[in-house]
Amino acid sequence: MGHHHTHQHGQLSGNRLLFSIVLNIIITASQVIGGIISGSLALISDAVHNLSDVISLIISYVANILSNKKKQTLHQTFGFKRAEIIAAFINSSTLIIIAVFLAIEAVKRLNDPREIASDLVIWLAFIAILGNGLSVLLLKKDANHNLNMKSAYLHLITDMLTSVAVLIGGLLMKYYQIYWLDAILTIIISIYLLFMSWSIFIDSLKILMLFAPKHLEIEAIQKEIISVPEIDNIHHVHIWQLNDHDVHFEAHIEFNKDIKLSDFDQICSKVELILFEKFHINHSNLQPEFERDDHKDFIIQD
């Protein structure tokens, strides 16, 4: 059995995340109150989205702490490394649900347009743009290499963009009294939320379901390992992601002769190097076999 481990994960900034949480709580409370007073569904939808930001940021913050601080134990052999993927899945799921709900409410509002207090909408949308814009800048760096942080970052950037749309809508309602535009903006926001959330939802779901990473060509891995002279066959293969950094590989390796344990150790190191350098697989578990009577299927059918 061989293992190859590398851990080059950037340390995420909890302080920046915490600051974004406090900032978004203030924005959300302001928009909820302002939306009720002004009668703007678009502003309330932006507030609900901001509330989802707060929830997602709190989940991301807790997940980040668990992922970095909690180590493996006898009963938690992977530690809390999956916490961030679960957070990403929850965050994207909530956005999808909220988007559908807002779209339904907006369609109802189209049939019954109401006068909107546009001045309040304009100022609160402007404040939300500034607040979310600052949060986006704070989290941008971490979002480049972490799926959990990417989901939180997308929550914030989509909310900033929806606030821009609400601001434009508020200006048009103020000067042209186009009150049905409030419902149209809400529908557009909902579609945008669905579009931005779907890929994270699918990616995190695939990781939780232990699917092989989509960027790996499984046949190419098989070909590279079999090219090692001492190896006849590779079978019972499993490839999965623990999180968005760690890729695990396990397989049975059939040798063409009865080798010593020390020889296997050398060949094992060679295979691990192939997996790491060519496919970026950083955890491997290899079981040696010689003339063993079992199924030799590459992927075993349970």
Side-chain angles (χ1 to χ4, degrees):
M1 180 172 65
H3 299 277
H4 188 83
H5 302 275
T6 61
H7 300 279
Q8 300 175 349
H9 308 172
Q11 292 300 311
L12 306 177
S13 175
N15 290 333
R16 284 179 287 179
L17 198 54
L18 187 59
F19 178 79
S20 296
I21 291 171
V22 174
L23 190 60
N24 275 271
I25 288 175
I26 296 171
I27 293 172
T28 300
S30 301
Q31 287 185 317
V32 168
I33 296 170
I36 293 171
I37 294 172
S38 67
S40 172
L41 182 60
L43 191 58
I44 292 176
S45 70
D46 200 16
V48 172
H49 183 201
N50 233 317
L51 178 61
S52 76
D53 286 345
V54 172
I55 296 171
S56 71
L57 289 171
I58 291 172
I59 292 171
S60 296
Y61 182 70
V62 174
N64 183 40
I65 292 173
L66 290 174
S67 181
N68 288 327
K69 302 299 183 183
K70 297 290 185 178
K71 304 302 181 183
Q72 293 93 329
T73 69
L74 291 176
H75 298 287
Q76 297 160 339
T77 57
F78 284 109
F80 284 78
K81 291 184 178 181
R82 274 266 166 96
E84 291 184 307
I85 298 302
I86 294 173
F89 178 76
I90 294 172
N91 292 347
S92 57
S93 301
T94 56
L95 270 182
I96 291 170
I97 294 169
I98 288 169
V100 173
F101 172 77
L102 290 177
I104 294 171
E105 291 301 310
V107 171
K108 293 178 182 177
R109 178 65 68 87
L110 271 177
N111 298 321
D112 183 24
R114 304 173 190 175
E115 185 175 349
I116 307 297
S118 53
D119 285 338
L120 189 57
V121 173
I122 292 168
W123 280 109
L124 287 173
F126 182 71
I127 293 171
I129 291 168
L130 292 179
N132 282 301
L134 179 58
S135 297
V136 164
L137 290 176
L138 288 173
L139 300 183
K140 186 177 188 301
K141 183 178 179 180
D142 291 334
N144 291 329
H145 54 77
N146 183 276
L147 191 61
N148 173 41
M149 296 301 291
K150 184 180 179 182
S151 70
Y153 171 79
L154 284 179
H155 264 267
L156 291 168
I157 199 169
T158 54
D159 202 49
M160 184 182 70
L161 292 174
T162 55
S163 295
V164 171
V166 172
L167 175 61
I168 295 171
L171 290 169
L172 290 173
M173 285 184 285
K174 177 179 175 63
Y175 293 106
Y176 298 99
Q177 290 74 50
I178 312 174
Y179 297 120
W180 52 263
L181 186 61
D182 187 69
I184 296 296
L185 284 173
T186 304
I187 294 172
I188 293 173
I189 290 169
S190 300
I191 294 171
Y192 186 65
L193 288 178
L194 285 171
F195 177 76
M196 296 298 290
S197 305
W198 188 252
S199 62
I200 292 180
F201 174 77
I202 294 299
D203 287 344
S204 58
L205 180 61
K206 285 180 177 178
I207 292 175
L208 291 173
M209 292 295 293
L210 302 181
F211 287 5
K214 60 184 178 182
H215 66 276
L216 291 180
E217 296 184 16
I218 310 303
E219 292 81 5
I221 296 175
Q222 180 185 28
K223 184 178 180 181
E224 286 289 341
I225 294 178
I226 291 179
S227 68
V228 176
E230 296 87 353
I231 296 176
D232 256 357
N233 177 272
I234 175 174
H235 52 280
H236 291 205
V237 172
H238 294 90
I239 305 174
W240 74 95
Q241 287 179 265
L242 182 63
N243 50 34
D244 52 335
H245 296 291
D246 299 330
V247 180
H248 286 242
F249 176 93
E250 68 177 23
H252 295 195
I253 304 293
E254 181 82 19
F255 289 89
N256 50 34
K257 59 182 179 180
D258 193 2
I259 62 174
K260 296 186 296 183
L261 182 59
S262 57
D263 294 331
F264 167 69
D265 193 45
Q266 292 180 359
I267 298 168
C268 184
S269 296
K270 187 186 300 183
V271 172
E272 289 171 1
L273 193 61
I274 290 172
L275 292 171
F276 178 67
E277 290 187 343
K278 295 192 174 183
F279 304 102
H280 307 292
I281 296 174
N282 49 1
H283 296 259
S284 57
N285 185 357
L286 307 175
Q287 177 176 315
E289 292 182 359
F290 175 67
E291 295 184 348
R292 182 174 179 177
D293 184 19
D294 67 349
H295 296 288
K296 305 301 180 183
D297 298 327
F298 183 64
I299 302 296
I300 189 67
Q301 301 294 323
D302 294 327

